[in-house]
Amino acid sequence: MTTVDSSSQRQAAAITRASRSNLALAFFSLPPERRQAITLFYAFCRIVDDIADEPGLPVEEKQAQLDRWSAALTVPVEGEDDLAPAVRQLIADYRIDPGLMREIIRGCAMDLRPVRYATFDDLLGYCYRVASAVGLVSIEIFGATHEGSRRYAVELGYALQLTNIIRDVAKDLANGDRIYLPQEDLQRFEITGDDLRLRKGGPRFEEMMAFQADRAEEYYLRAIAALPPEDRQVMTPAEIMRNIYHELLETLREDHFRVFDRFHRLSRWRKGWIILKVLLFGR
């Protein structure tokens, strides 16, 4: 299994801590070796995502850096990131398909230009790359062995990313005028891009967001149905994520999707209770 050199280990851990992500909270339930490996993988995800989000870089330079990472997954390349050798070792040790890692990079590249998705099916393609592919790599590190866990990872990836999209409407508009809500849905509920930029809420907006939340709810249910009992213990980190994000979705719904007025997050106490509940009762 992966033995990360001390310098790479410290760098990956620092990136993970700085992110303050819910993902990092789930890692502590893993054995030390797997926790080290998933921390390295998360650092890779954070690095390539940050490349796409870096406001000071031209699009061409961002694409070049992402292409360099894509090549460095299998062979050393000139100018590669300091973490690249450790990531290659991770891929080898856990028999990870480099194609899945490249899907994540392609998903980040989709954010390099103003984001619009005509249909929900188009949006799902993006969600697969930036979330479901992350889940498919993660379950290899967790030690899942059953095919049902792959279906779980895909469905949960959709659910988590849709929850993020619902919460981050205002944040995404501020970050490059990104609109992830499908254009067909905006038209259906008679909402324009200018309405979003002007931070207009109201009944139509709430109805449209509830429609998106119902979709996310369906994917949470599909994930629950797919999880095989044989893998339930090793999938504890994923179940922690599912429960945290599902409660976040419920919080957004209870607050009538007031995403222009506040940034919704769960308190440390609520996250701690969810983690304890999953550890004690498995869900």
Side-chain angles (χ1 to χ4, degrees):
M1 293 297 179
T2 302
T3 301
V4 182
D5 68 86
S6 58
S7 176
S8 296
Q9 184 178 345
R10 287 195 298 270
Q11 184 181 351
I15 291 169
T16 301
R17 283 195 305 271
S19 73
R20 300 180 65 188
S21 168
N22 290 322
L23 284 168
L25 291 173
F27 297 165
F28 86 96
S29 64
L30 291 166
E33 191 172 78
R34 293 185 187 273
R35 183 166 65 244
Q36 185 181 88
I38 197 68
T39 299
L40 173 60
F41 171 58
Y42 178 76
F44 157 79
C45 293
R46 188 73 269 153
I47 288 170
V48 294
D49 188 58
D50 285 347
I51 290 171
D53 284 345
E54 175 53 56
L57 283 180
V59 170
E60 294 75 14
E61 176 59 26
K62 293 180 182 183
Q63 186 65 65
Q65 290 190 26
L66 292 175
D67 289 344
R68 189 178 303 121
W69 254 114
S70 186
L73 294 175
T74 49
V75 295
V77 299
E78 184 178 355
E80 69 182 15
D81 190 275
D82 291 343
L83 278 185
V87 170
R88 285 194 293 272
Q89 189 62 51
L90 173 74
I91 290 171
D93 288 345
Y94 286 89
R95 299 181 179 179
I96 295 166
D97 178 3
L100 286 173
M101 307 278 277
R102 291 193 176 104
E103 283 289 271
I104 297 167
I105 294 172
R106 291 187 189 104
C108 293
M110 293 171 75
D111 284 334
L112 294 184
R113 291 172 175 83
V115 174
R116 301 290 187 275
Y117 293 99
T119 69
F120 181 65
D121 285 344
D122 292 338
L123 178 62
L124 281 186
Y126 169 78
C127 293
Y128 176 84
R129 286 177 165 171
V130 300
S132 295
V134 172
L136 288 169
V137 173
S138 297
I139 66 172
E140 297 295 333
I141 298 172
F142 296 161
T145 58
H146 289 261
E147 182 61 27
S149 292
R150 292 182 59 82
R151 294 194 301 274
Y152 171 96
V154 171
E155 305 290 9
L156 183 60
Y158 291 146
L160 299 184
Q161 191 61 30
L162 291 172
T163 302
N164 276 334
I165 288 169
I166 292 166
R167 179 192 61 184
D168 292 346
V169 170
K171 179 182 175 183
D172 290 332
L173 279 166
N175 185 18
D177 196 40
R178 297 174 180 175
I179 299 176
Y180 293 94
L181 299 167
Q183 296 298 301
E184 63 181 4
D185 295 339
L186 294 176
Q187 293 170 10
R188 173 180 175 180
F189 291 95
E190 301 180 352
I191 296 170
T192 68
D194 285 339
D195 290 335
L196 298 178
R197 294 184 196 94
L198 293 172
R199 306 169 73 89
K200 289 184 179 179
R204 285 204 311 271
F205 179 77
E206 183 176 349
E207 186 180 359
M208 189 266 296
M209 294 292 273
F211 179 71
Q212 307 301 327
D214 289 345
R215 279 175 164 165
E217 185 73 44
E218 178 62 28
Y219 285 106
Y220 283 114
L221 292 174
R222 292 184 187 183
I224 292 170
L227 182 60
E230 298 90 343
D231 275 348
R232 185 171 295 278
Q233 183 172 359
V234 299
M235 295 288 276
T236 294
E239 281 290 272
I240 289 173
M241 288 300 302
R242 179 180 66 78
N243 279 270
I244 287 176
Y245 270 81
H246 185 256
E247 184 151 345
L248 175 60
L249 182 67
E250 289 304 300
T251 299
L252 286 157
R253 194 189 294 273
E254 290 167 5
D255 197 39
H256 304 284
F257 305 102
R258 294 170 58 194
V259 296
F260 296 124
D261 300 331
R262 65 193 68 181
F263 184 78
H264 293 77
R265 55 165 54 97
L266 302 186
S267 68
R268 288 176 178 266
W269 183 91
R270 288 177 73 184
K271 289 178 183 177
W273 165 244
I274 290 169
I275 292 169
L276 182 62
K277 181 181 68 171
V278 173
L279 292 176
L280 291 177
F281 306 111
R283 63 181 63 203

mmCIF file of all heavy atoms in Angstrom, residues 33-66:
data_model
loop_
_atom_site.group_PDB
_atom_site.id
_atom_site.type_symbol
_atom_site.label_atom_id
_atom_site.label_comp_id
_atom_site.label_asym_id
_atom_site.label_seq_id
_atom_site.Cartn_x
_atom_site.Cartn_y
_atom_site.Cartn_z
ATOM 1 N N GLU A 33 -3.226 4.080 7.225
ATOM 2 C CA GLU A 33 -2.656 3.980 5.881
ATOM 3 C C GLU A 33 -3.650 4.456 4.825
ATOM 4 O O GLU A 33 -3.303 5.201 3.906
ATOM 5 C CB GLU A 33 -2.237 2.544 5.596
ATOM 6 C CG GLU A 33 -1.402 2.395 4.337
ATOM 7 C CD GLU A 33 -0.866 0.989 4.209
ATOM 8 O OE1 GLU A 33 -1.649 0.101 3.813
ATOM 9 O OE2 GLU A 33 0.324 0.774 4.520
ATOM 10 N N ARG A 34 -4.896 4.031 4.963
ATOM 11 C CA ARG A 34 -5.917 4.463 4.001
ATOM 12 C C ARG A 34 -6.252 5.943 4.197
ATOM 13 O O ARG A 34 -6.561 6.640 3.221
ATOM 14 C CB ARG A 34 -7.176 3.593 4.134
ATOM 15 C CG ARG A 34 -6.955 2.148 3.717
ATOM 16 C CD ARG A 34 -8.251 1.342 3.738
ATOM 17 N NE ARG A 34 -8.020 -0.064 3.499
ATOM 18 C CZ ARG A 34 -7.953 -0.634 2.295
ATOM 19 N NH1 ARG A 34 -8.112 0.115 1.216
ATOM 20 N NH2 ARG A 34 -7.729 -1.920 2.166
ATOM 21 N N ARG A 35 -6.192 6.414 5.423
ATOM 22 C CA ARG A 35 -6.432 7.840 5.666
ATOM 23 C C ARG A 35 -5.350 8.680 4.991
ATOM 24 O O ARG A 35 -5.637 9.728 4.400
ATOM 25 C CB ARG A 35 -6.467 8.111 7.170
ATOM 26 C CG ARG A 35 -6.779 9.566 7.497
ATOM 27 C CD ARG A 35 -7.135 9.728 8.961
ATOM 28 N NE ARG A 35 -6.034 9.420 9.844
ATOM 29 C CZ ARG A 35 -6.015 8.418 10.718
ATOM 30 N NH1 ARG A 35 -7.052 7.596 10.829
ATOM 31 N NH2 ARG A 35 -4.968 8.213 11.499
ATOM 32 N N GLN A 36 -4.117 8.223 5.045
ATOM 33 C CA GLN A 36 -3.019 8.915 4.369
ATOM 34 C C GLN A 36 -3.245 8.926 2.856
ATOM 35 O O GLN A 36 -3.044 9.944 2.195
ATOM 36 C CB GLN A 36 -1.707 8.203 4.708
ATOM 37 C CG GLN A 36 -0.466 8.879 4.182
ATOM 38 C CD GLN A 36 0.774 8.075 4.554
ATOM 39 O OE1 GLN A 36 1.179 7.162 3.823
ATOM 40 N NE2 GLN A 36 1.369 8.387 5.694
ATOM 41 N N ALA A 37 -3.707 7.804 2.327
ATOM 42 C CA ALA A 37 -3.927 7.694 0.881
ATOM 43 C C ALA A 37 -5.078 8.592 0.426
ATOM 44 O O ALA A 37 -4.972 9.283 -0.599
ATOM 45 C CB ALA A 37 -4.206 6.235 0.503
ATOM 46 N N ILE A 38 -6.187 8.599 1.163
ATOM 47 C CA ILE A 38 -7.332 9.412 0.737
ATOM 48 C C ILE A 38 -7.019 10.901 0.904
ATOM 49 O O ILE A 38 -7.501 11.732 0.135
ATOM 50 C CB ILE A 38 -8.616 9.025 1.518
ATOM 51 C CG1 ILE A 38 -9.873 9.556 0.804
ATOM 52 C CG2 ILE A 38 -8.579 9.509 2.941
ATOM 53 C CD1 ILE A 38 -10.168 8.900 -0.507
ATOM 54 N N THR A 39 -6.186 11.245 1.880
ATOM 55 C CA THR A 39 -5.769 12.639 2.043
ATOM 56 C C THR A 39 -4.949 13.088 0.843
ATOM 57 O O THR A 39 -5.116 14.207 0.338
ATOM 58 C CB THR A 39 -4.965 12.808 3.344
ATOM 59 O OG1 THR A 39 -5.795 12.452 4.461
ATOM 60 C CG2 THR A 39 -4.485 14.241 3.506
ATOM 61 N N LEU A 40 -4.072 12.209 0.351
ATOM 62 C CA LEU A 40 -3.289 12.519 -0.845
ATOM 63 C C LEU A 40 -4.206 12.683 -2.058
ATOM 64 O O LEU A 40 -4.051 13.633 -2.839
ATOM 65 C CB LEU A 40 -2.271 11.408 -1.097
ATOM 66 C CG LEU A 40 -1.478 11.489 -2.400
ATOM 67 C CD1 LEU A 40 -0.671 12.779 -2.476
ATOM 68 C CD2 LEU A 40 -0.562 10.272 -2.533
ATOM 69 N N PHE A 41 -5.168 11.774 -2.203
ATOM 70 C CA PHE A 41 -6.096 11.874 -3.338
ATOM 71 C C PHE A 41 -6.913 13.164 -3.249
ATOM 72 O O PHE A 41 -7.107 13.854 -4.254
ATOM 73 C CB PHE A 41 -7.021 10.662 -3.371
ATOM 74 C CG PHE A 41 -8.143 10.788 -4.366
ATOM 75 C CD1 PHE A 41 -7.880 10.990 -5.708
ATOM 76 C CD2 PHE A 41 -9.472 10.729 -3.951
ATOM 77 C CE1 PHE A 41 -8.918 11.136 -6.632
ATOM 78 C CE2 PHE A 41 -10.502 10.861 -4.858
ATOM 79 C CZ PHE A 41 -10.232 11.074 -6.203
ATOM 80 N N TYR A 42 -7.369 13.498 -2.053
ATOM 81 C CA TYR A 42 -8.143 14.733 -1.912
ATOM 82 C C TYR A 42 -7.287 15.945 -2.257
ATOM 83 O O TYR A 42 -7.769 16.899 -2.883
ATOM 84 C CB TYR A 42 -8.698 14.869 -0.497
ATOM 85 C CG TYR A 42 -9.455 16.159 -0.330
ATOM 86 C CD1 TYR A 42 -10.728 16.305 -0.865
ATOM 87 C CD2 TYR A 42 -8.882 17.256 0.302
ATOM 88 C CE1 TYR A 42 -11.418 17.493 -0.757
ATOM 89 C CE2 TYR A 42 -9.564 18.450 0.416
ATOM 90 C CZ TYR A 42 -10.830 18.560 -0.112
ATOM 91 O OH TYR A 42 -11.503 19.751 -0.019
ATOM 92 N N ALA A 43 -5.999 15.923 -1.870
ATOM 93 C CA ALA A 43 -5.110 17.033 -2.198
ATOM 94 C C ALA A 43 -4.987 17.181 -3.718
ATOM 95 O O ALA A 43 -4.990 18.305 -4.244
ATOM 96 C CB ALA A 43 -3.735 16.811 -1.567
ATOM 97 N N PHE A 44 -4.887 16.052 -4.418
ATOM 98 C CA PHE A 44 -4.862 16.102 -5.886
ATOM 99 C C PHE A 44 -6.128 16.776 -6.419
ATOM 100 O O PHE A 44 -6.051 17.659 -7.284
ATOM 101 C CB PHE A 44 -4.738 14.678 -6.453
ATOM 102 C CG PHE A 44 -5.241 14.539 -7.861
ATOM 103 C CD1 PHE A 44 -4.467 14.952 -8.932
ATOM 104 C CD2 PHE A 44 -6.505 14.004 -8.112
ATOM 105 C CE1 PHE A 44 -4.941 14.834 -10.239
ATOM 106 C CE2 PHE A 44 -6.981 13.894 -9.406
ATOM 107 C CZ PHE A 44 -6.195 14.311 -10.482
ATOM 108 N N CYS A 45 -7.289 16.366 -5.919
ATOM 109 C CA CYS A 45 -8.555 16.956 -6.368
ATOM 110 C C CYS A 45 -8.592 18.448 -6.101
ATOM 111 O O CYS A 45 -9.060 19.237 -6.934
ATOM 112 C CB CYS A 45 -9.738 16.271 -5.683
ATOM 113 S SG CYS A 45 -9.989 14.536 -6.134
ATOM 114 N N ARG A 46 -8.097 18.842 -4.931
ATOM 115 C CA ARG A 46 -8.102 20.256 -4.578
ATOM 116 C C ARG A 46 -7.179 21.062 -5.489
ATOM 117 O O ARG A 46 -7.513 22.168 -5.909
ATOM 118 C CB ARG A 46 -7.645 20.383 -3.112
ATOM 119 C CG ARG A 46 -7.753 21.734 -2.472
ATOM 120 C CD ARG A 46 -9.165 22.100 -2.169
ATOM 121 N NE ARG A 46 -9.780 22.825 -3.262
ATOM 122 C CZ ARG A 46 -11.073 22.841 -3.509
ATOM 123 N NH1 ARG A 46 -11.914 22.169 -2.756
ATOM 124 N NH2 ARG A 46 -11.559 23.526 -4.528
ATOM 125 N N ILE A 47 -6.005 20.492 -5.795
ATOM 126 C CA ILE A 47 -5.035 21.206 -6.635
ATOM 127 C C ILE A 47 -5.611 21.460 -8.022
ATOM 128 O O ILE A 47 -5.544 22.586 -8.543
ATOM 129 C CB ILE A 47 -3.719 20.399 -6.729
ATOM 130 C CG1 ILE A 47 -2.955 20.460 -5.394
ATOM 131 C CG2 ILE A 47 -2.838 20.947 -7.851
ATOM 132 C CD1 ILE A 47 -1.786 19.506 -5.317
ATOM 133 N N VAL A 48 -6.180 20.423 -8.656
ATOM 134 C CA VAL A 48 -6.665 20.612 -10.027
ATOM 135 C C VAL A 48 -7.899 21.524 -10.040
ATOM 136 O O VAL A 48 -8.101 22.290 -10.988
ATOM 137 C CB VAL A 48 -6.948 19.261 -10.723
ATOM 138 C CG1 VAL A 48 -5.640 18.489 -10.912
ATOM 139 C CG2 VAL A 48 -7.964 18.416 -9.977
ATOM 140 N N ASP A 49 -8.708 21.451 -8.991
ATOM 141 C CA ASP A 49 -9.864 22.352 -8.908
ATOM 142 C C ASP A 49 -9.404 23.795 -8.729
ATOM 143 O O ASP A 49 -9.969 24.720 -9.327
ATOM 144 C CB ASP A 49 -10.763 21.920 -7.759
ATOM 145 C CG ASP A 49 -12.077 22.684 -7.739
ATOM 146 O OD1 ASP A 49 -12.813 22.624 -8.747
ATOM 147 O OD2 ASP A 49 -12.371 23.348 -6.729
ATOM 148 N N ASP A 50 -8.374 24.003 -7.914
ATOM 149 C CA ASP A 50 -7.858 25.350 -7.690
ATOM 150 C C ASP A 50 -7.235 25.929 -8.958
ATOM 151 O O ASP A 50 -7.274 27.154 -9.175
ATOM 152 C CB ASP A 50 -6.831 25.353 -6.561
ATOM 153 C CG ASP A 50 -7.481 25.213 -5.186
ATOM 154 O OD1 ASP A 50 -8.715 25.355 -5.098
ATOM 155 O OD2 ASP A 50 -6.750 24.942 -4.213
ATOM 156 N N ILE A 51 -6.640 25.085 -9.791
ATOM 157 C CA ILE A 51 -6.101 25.563 -11.065
ATOM 158 C C ILE A 51 -7.225 26.186 -11.891
ATOM 159 O O ILE A 51 -7.091 27.287 -12.434
ATOM 160 C CB ILE A 51 -5.423 24.419 -11.838
ATOM 161 C CG1 ILE A 51 -4.128 23.991 -11.136
ATOM 162 C CG2 ILE A 51 -5.126 24.846 -13.285
ATOM 163 C CD1 ILE A 51 -3.511 22.724 -11.705
ATOM 164 N N ALA A 52 -8.352 25.473 -11.978
ATOM 165 C CA ALA A 52 -9.484 25.966 -12.765
ATOM 166 C C ALA A 52 -10.066 27.253 -12.188
ATOM 167 O O ALA A 52 -10.590 28.096 -12.929
ATOM 168 C CB ALA A 52 -10.564 24.899 -12.861
ATOM 169 N N ASP A 53 -9.971 27.413 -10.863
ATOM 170 C CA ASP A 53 -10.588 28.568 -10.199
ATOM 171 C C ASP A 53 -9.648 29.759 -10.038
ATOM 172 O O ASP A 53 -10.078 30.821 -9.575
ATOM 173 C CB ASP A 53 -11.107 28.156 -8.815
ATOM 174 C CG ASP A 53 -12.391 27.348 -8.900
ATOM 175 O OD1 ASP A 53 -13.024 27.354 -9.973
ATOM 176 O OD2 ASP A 53 -12.752 26.713 -7.889
ATOM 177 N N GLU A 54 -8.366 29.598 -10.376
ATOM 178 C CA GLU A 54 -7.387 30.661 -10.150
ATOM 179 C C GLU A 54 -7.693 31.875 -11.027
ATOM 180 O O GLU A 54 -7.592 31.817 -12.259
ATOM 181 C CB GLU A 54 -5.975 30.140 -10.465
ATOM 182 C CG GLU A 54 -4.891 31.196 -10.386
ATOM 183 C CD GLU A 54 -4.887 31.950 -9.073
ATOM 184 O OE1 GLU A 54 -4.796 31.293 -8.022
ATOM 185 O OE2 GLU A 54 -4.999 33.204 -9.111
ATOM 186 N N PRO A 55 -8.086 33.009 -10.422
ATOM 187 C CA PRO A 55 -8.504 34.173 -11.226
ATOM 188 C C PRO A 55 -7.356 34.853 -11.954
ATOM 189 O O PRO A 55 -7.574 35.546 -12.947
ATOM 190 C CB PRO A 55 -9.131 35.104 -10.184
ATOM 191 C CG PRO A 55 -8.476 34.733 -8.891
ATOM 192 C CD PRO A 55 -8.215 33.254 -8.977
ATOM 193 N N GLY A 56 -6.135 34.668 -11.491
ATOM 194 C CA GLY A 56 -5.017 35.397 -12.086
ATOM 195 C C GLY A 56 -4.376 34.723 -13.274
ATOM 196 O O GLY A 56 -3.450 35.283 -13.873
ATOM 197 N N LEU A 57 -4.825 33.524 -13.641
ATOM 198 C CA LEU A 57 -4.202 32.783 -14.740
ATOM 199 C C LEU A 57 -5.042 32.863 -16.007
ATOM 200 O O LEU A 57 -6.262 32.714 -15.951
ATOM 201 C CB LEU A 57 -4.039 31.305 -14.359
ATOM 202 C CG LEU A 57 -2.906 30.912 -13.415
ATOM 203 C CD1 LEU A 57 -2.938 29.407 -13.180
ATOM 204 C CD2 LEU A 57 -1.557 31.331 -13.961
ATOM 205 N N PRO A 58 -4.406 33.059 -17.159
ATOM 206 C CA PRO A 58 -5.147 32.976 -18.428
ATOM 207 C C PRO A 58 -5.679 31.558 -18.629
ATOM 208 O O PRO A 58 -5.107 30.584 -18.123
ATOM 209 C CB PRO A 58 -4.090 33.320 -19.485
ATOM 210 C CG PRO A 58 -2.977 33.973 -18.745
ATOM 211 C CD PRO A 58 -2.996 33.406 -17.361
ATOM 212 N N VAL A 59 -6.767 31.446 -19.378
ATOM 213 C CA VAL A 59 -7.383 30.148 -19.624
ATOM 214 C C VAL A 59 -6.382 29.178 -20.247
ATOM 215 O O VAL A 59 -6.332 27.990 -19.891
ATOM 216 C CB VAL A 59 -8.623 30.307 -20.530
ATOM 217 C CG1 VAL A 59 -9.125 28.941 -21.006
ATOM 218 C CG2 VAL A 59 -9.729 31.041 -19.793
ATOM 219 N N GLU A 60 -5.558 29.664 -21.164
ATOM 220 C CA GLU A 60 -4.599 28.796 -21.851
ATOM 221 C C GLU A 60 -3.600 28.194 -20.870
ATOM 222 O O GLU A 60 -3.213 27.025 -20.983
ATOM 223 C CB GLU A 60 -3.867 29.569 -22.942
ATOM 224 C CG GLU A 60 -4.733 30.029 -24.092
ATOM 225 C CD GLU A 60 -5.613 31.220 -23.738
ATOM 226 O OE1 GLU A 60 -5.364 31.860 -22.681
ATOM 227 O OE2 GLU A 60 -6.545 31.525 -24.509
ATOM 228 N N GLU A 61 -3.158 28.991 -19.887
ATOM 229 C CA GLU A 61 -2.215 28.490 -18.892
ATOM 230 C C GLU A 61 -2.886 27.484 -17.963
ATOM 231 O O GLU A 61 -2.289 26.472 -17.575
ATOM 232 C CB GLU A 61 -1.627 29.653 -18.085
ATOM 233 C CG GLU A 61 -0.702 29.223 -16.948
ATOM 234 C CD GLU A 61 0.493 28.401 -17.411
ATOM 235 O OE1 GLU A 61 0.916 28.530 -18.579
ATOM 236 O OE2 GLU A 61 1.006 27.622 -16.582
ATOM 237 N N LYS A 62 -4.132 27.755 -17.595
ATOM 238 C CA LYS A 62 -4.873 26.784 -16.775
ATOM 239 C C LYS A 62 -4.983 25.445 -17.495
ATOM 240 O O LYS A 62 -4.763 24.379 -16.900
ATOM 241 C CB LYS A 62 -6.274 27.325 -16.456
ATOM 242 C CG LYS A 62 -6.312 28.537 -15.557
ATOM 243 C CD LYS A 62 -7.748 28.965 -15.314
ATOM 244 C CE LYS A 62 -7.842 30.200 -14.448
ATOM 245 N NZ LYS A 62 -9.246 30.583 -14.159
ATOM 246 N N GLN A 63 -5.349 25.490 -18.778
ATOM 247 C CA GLN A 63 -5.485 24.255 -19.545
ATOM 248 C C GLN A 63 -4.145 23.527 -19.637
ATOM 249 O O GLN A 63 -4.088 22.296 -19.524
ATOM 250 C CB GLN A 63 -6.021 24.561 -20.940
ATOM 251 C CG GLN A 63 -6.335 23.318 -21.760
ATOM 252 C CD GLN A 63 -7.469 22.508 -21.163
ATOM 253 O OE1 GLN A 63 -8.609 22.968 -21.103
ATOM 254 N NE2 GLN A 63 -7.161 21.282 -20.709
ATOM 255 N N ALA A 64 -3.063 24.278 -19.828
ATOM 256 C CA ALA A 64 -1.737 23.666 -19.909
ATOM 257 C C ALA A 64 -1.379 22.961 -18.601
ATOM 258 O O ALA A 64 -0.816 21.853 -18.610
ATOM 259 C CB ALA A 64 -0.693 24.722 -20.261
ATOM 260 N N GLN A 65 -1.706 23.591 -17.476
ATOM 261 C CA GLN A 65 -1.409 22.960 -16.182
ATOM 262 C C GLN A 65 -2.250 21.704 -15.974
ATOM 263 O O GLN A 65 -1.754 20.694 -15.455
ATOM 264 C CB GLN A 65 -1.649 23.955 -15.059
ATOM 265 C CG GLN A 65 -0.643 25.088 -14.996
ATOM 266 C CD GLN A 65 -0.768 25.917 -13.729
ATOM 267 O OE1 GLN A 65 -1.242 25.440 -12.694
ATOM 268 N NE2 GLN A 65 -0.337 27.173 -13.789
ATOM 269 N N LEU A 66 -3.511 21.754 -16.372
ATOM 270 C CA LEU A 66 -4.361 20.564 -16.245
ATOM 271 C C LEU A 66 -3.865 19.453 -17.172
ATOM 272 O O LEU A 66 -3.860 18.275 -16.785
ATOM 273 C CB LEU A 66 -5.815 20.924 -16.557
ATOM 274 C CG LEU A 66 -6.494 21.854 -15.544
ATOM 275 C CD1 LEU A 66 -7.897 22.228 -16.032
ATOM 276 C CD2 LEU A 66 -6.583 21.204 -14.166
#
